Amino acid sequence: MTQQVPSTEPELTGVRNFRDVGGLPTVDGRRVRPGVLFRSGHLAHATEQDAEFLASLGLHTVFDFRNAADQKLEGPDVELPGVRNVNLPLTDPAHGADFWMMVREGDLDQLHGLLGDGKAAARMVSSYRAIVKERTGEHSHVLHALAEDSVPALMHCAAGKDRAGVSIAVTLLAVGVERDAIVADYLESNAKHRRYKVRRSGGGDSAYSPEVMDLLSPLFDARLEYLTAAFESIEETWGDVDTYLEQGLRLAPQTRERLRERLVG
């Protein structure tokens, strides 16, 4: 009987959408090493037990892709002993602050104007494209840091789905993970226990009506069309992944090879 590898996906109480991306297959028949690259939602509400588990991973760096508005809303990440916290906002500091305030207030007419008739999904597609095209400096920083010394690493944003999702996808593309495996990992964010808990403003009865939830669902779904838009943005702008990595992210072949050595077994 083969020995089971201990699970690194515990029941975390205050951290959503945590997982190890180890085990994903590469195009050359290898796999991402377990225990070197993790992803999650924000760590601001981590309980003491959550923090103990996270500290046990031996993390070198936590990459936090939230902007100032997110951090004001949720709070700073829990401090983990000996772990470097790097904040690299992948959206502008005030981007969407008014929008999210309206989301949390949950007025049906206002939300329908903002999100109805496909507007919510279109907003997400546009956001994924922008993160790829406009945040090359941040993604370059992450990949160079990982190649240099920053593993094991955890990447997160607020929900661990969009900004972290694109950053994880870019990292996995760089080390040659199969495209289908990248997509499958991304879509895991749809599991009920992983999904971000959006809270209404004002306390009291914090539940949204079904009509409001229908309008909001595209914002909180991980949809194939969103990640596909990010991949298409790479191909439309740079032609292919290799050119994107070399010219867009300034990733020299030797740095990319060092990255593979760190992340792939």
Side-chain angles (χ1 to χ4, degrees), residues 8-9 17-26 30-40 57 146 153-155 160 164-165 167-169 171-173 175 177 181-182 184-186 188-189 194 263-265:
T8 49
E9 191 179 321
N17 207 6
F18 173 88
R19 58 192 180 275
D20 184 345
V21 300
L24 296 182
T26 62
R30 297 189 290 169
R31 289 189 181 270
V32 177
R33 286 197 185 103
V36 295
L37 185 59
F38 303 91
R39 58 181 296 172
S40 74
L57 299 175
L146 293 174
L154 183 148
M155 298 185 191
S167 300
I168 286 284
T171 304
L172 296 175
L173 282 175
V175 298
V177 171
I182 297 174
D185 172 69
Y186 166 76
E188 279 193 36
S189 291
R194 299 190 187 281
L263 298 184
V264 177

Side-chain angles (χ1 to χ4, degrees), residues 42 44-45 66-76 96-97 100-101 104 158 196-201:
H42 71 78
H45 301 160
R66 295 178 300 160
N67 62 36
D70 297 318
Q71 293 191 344
K72 185 178 178 184
L73 179 70
E74 294 144 355
W100 285 107
M101 191 175 292
R104 283 181 168 77
Y196 182 71
K197 288 182 177 175
V198 64
R199 293 175 175 83
R200 288 187 70 162
S201 301

Side-chain angles (χ1 to χ4, degrees), residues 33-92:
R33 286 197 185 103
V36 295
L37 185 59
F38 303 91
R39 58 181 296 172
S40 74
H42 71 78
L43 311 183
H45 301 160
T47 64
E48 192 175 333
Q49 289 76 21
D50 295 342
E52 283 175 12
F53 171 77
L54 293 168
S56 77
L57 299 175
L59 295 171
H60 181 288
T61 301
V62 170
F63 293 101
D64 179 358
F65 301 124
R66 295 178 300 160
N67 62 36
D70 297 318
Q71 293 191 344
K72 185 178 178 184
L73 179 70
E74 294 144 355
D77 279 344
V78 66
E79 287 191 21
L80 301 172
V83 178
R84 183 177 65 155
N85 285 75
V86 176
N87 180 227
L88 290 170
L90 289 183
T91 46
D92 294 327

